[in-house]
Amino acid sequence: MLKELWQYVSNTTENPIAKKMGFLSESIAMEARAKRCKQSWGVHYQNCQKAILQASLRSVQKRTVLVLGAGSLHDVPLGILSTQFDRVLLVDLVFLNSARSVAQQFTNVELIEYDITESLARIHIGLPMVDTPMAWLDDLSIDLVVSLNLITQLPLIPVRWLIEHFEFSEQEGDVLGKQLILAHLLYLQSFDGEVCLIADREGVEYNAEGQELDRFDPWWDIEPPKAITTWQWELMPLGEVDRNRSQKNRVGVSFL
Ligand SMILES: C[S@@+](CC[C@H](N)C(=O)[O-])C[C@H]1O[C@@H](n2cnc3c(N)ncnc32)[C@H](O)[C@@H]1O
């Protein structure tokens, strides 16, 4: 806990909204959980890296690769991408110091803190208007785009923010969640190069005996593109958050 507090003080983000809305503390908590769940999350990270390298094989030219939701970088095969591509652009709302020091080792890797929904500035003041993002669509050197465990996360903090600070109803939150997911899909489809979407498809909660308690759709009822490969991510091993509950998510890879 003390360590997480120290990280909150020592890590900075260029985007004050990201800090205020809770994205920085969420990244710190996620990094701590990744350490605690090293074994089960490691398999998921390896699968993500494999999928990105498969996507890279499909990319005819290798000028620029754009990774959206790069976050901790644990799921990015950075060394290989940096040798394969002229330029590696890693985008997230928040990069912790740990990710910054990894990225610094590569001269052609750029970390960019950016709100990929292009809507948070308005949502932050209670205006639930979702834009279709435009960033990098005019960069014709981008041969590969990876959306990395990001799309289903886009609505979570914004919807919670509007419910807690602006008395939004669950129904209003639901509409915003769907809009954010659809806008990201549309955005990905607007690129000319190869696009690889890695995202969870389903979450299942179990009790201590391994019996299923609940099953939920992280896509807010939006139909995800067909996955060409999937795996189980043991997101919450028993005892991580609750000693009587665990959660596994099915993660899928699509090429758009
Ligand atoms: C589940 S994490 C995945 C991160 C990374 N791929 C990993 O596994 O460590 C989701 C990431 O999405 C980022 N994110 C959430 N909303 C975002 C937004 N509007 N713009 C950019 N990044 C965002 C979070 O900061 C977080 O790093």
Side-chain angles (χ1 to χ4, degrees):
M1 197 63 198
L2 265 180
K3 197 171 172 198
E4 287 182 36
L5 195 64
W6 165 246
Q7 282 198 314
Y8 190 73
V9 177
S10 61
N11 278 283
T12 53
T13 163
E14 283 156 27
N15 185 340
I17 292 175
K19 192 163 184 175
K20 208 167 157 198
M21 288 181 77
F23 287 94
L24 175 60
S25 34
E26 186 63 32
S27 293
I28 291 168
M30 179 141 175
E31 185 64 358
R33 191 186 284 179
K35 279 203 180 107
R36 288 193 301 270
C37 307
K38 203 170 174 181
Q39 210 174 2
S40 51
W41 286 30
V43 179
H44 162 69
Y45 289 147
Q46 277 171 16
N47 284 323
C48 292
Q49 294 202 12
K50 259 193 248 165
I52 295 172
L53 293 178
Q54 214 183 331
S56 166
L57 282 178
R58 293 166 60 101
S59 169
V60 179
Q61 292 194 81
K62 290 186 174 45
R63 291 168 296 172
T64 303
V65 53
L66 176 69
V67 182
L68 307 171
S72 70
L73 310 188
H74 296 315
D75 42 3
V76 182
L78 196 53
I80 302 181
L81 290 183
S82 144
T83 37
Q84 287 182 337
F85 285 83
D86 299 336
R87 218 161 50 119
V88 181
L89 304 183
L90 303 175
V91 179
D92 201 289
L93 205 47
V94 174
F95 284 109
L96 300 183
N97 293 339
S98 47
R100 290 179 191 282
S101 48
V102 171
Q104 260 172 17
Q105 299 165 25
F106 305 93
T107 52
N108 59 345
V109 171
E110 232 178 285
L111 288 190
I112 304 159
E113 285 194 341
Y114 190 77
D115 164 27
I116 207 60
T117 67
E118 297 181 1
S119 304
L120 287 183
R122 278 192 305 273
I123 291 173
H124 168 250
I125 54 168
L127 299 174
M129 287 147 66
V130 174
D131 264 341
T132 307
M134 300 296 287
W136 296 285
L137 288 178
D138 59 352
D139 183 342
L140 301 180
S141 77
I142 293 178
D143 295 314
L144 174 62
V145 181
V146 180
S147 173
L148 186 52
N149 296 308
L150 169 71
I151 191 166
T152 59
Q153 303 297 303
L154 292 175
L156 300 182
I157 290 180
V159 167
R160 190 180 69 200
W161 178 263
L162 289 172
I163 290 176
E164 285 178 1
H165 293 83
F166 294 93
E167 295 181 2
F168 269 55
S169 66
E170 295 221 344
Q171 241 174 350
E172 288 168 316
D174 198 53
V175 171
L176 182 83
K178 287 180 168 59
Q179 287 173 339
L180 286 167
I181 287 187
L182 278 172
H184 188 67
L185 266 185
L186 265 177
Y187 174 57
L188 294 177
Q189 285 159 353
S190 308
F191 282 95
D192 284 334
E194 280 293 327
V195 177
C196 171
L197 171 71
I198 302 176
D200 41 8
R201 305 298 171 119
E202 188 180 50
V204 185
E205 274 191 10
Y206 301 92
N207 65 14
E209 285 73 45
Q211 288 157 337
E212 185 176 320
L213 294 176
D214 193 15
R215 186 171 282 257
F216 59 92
D217 169 19
W219 279 72
W220 300 60
D221 284 336
I222 302 284
E223 180 74 30
K226 199 171 171 332
I228 53 139
T229 177
T230 64
W231 62 84
Q232 291 283 353
W233 175 16
E234 201 181 357
L235 180 67
M236 232 201 277
L238 205 60
E240 170 57 27
V241 173
D242 184 323
R243 65 193 168 96
N244 293 314
R245 274 175 188 251
S246 64
Q247 184 181 326
K248 286 183 187 166
N249 283 12
R250 193 165 57 83
V251 179
V253 179
S254 310
F255 294 120
L256 306 186

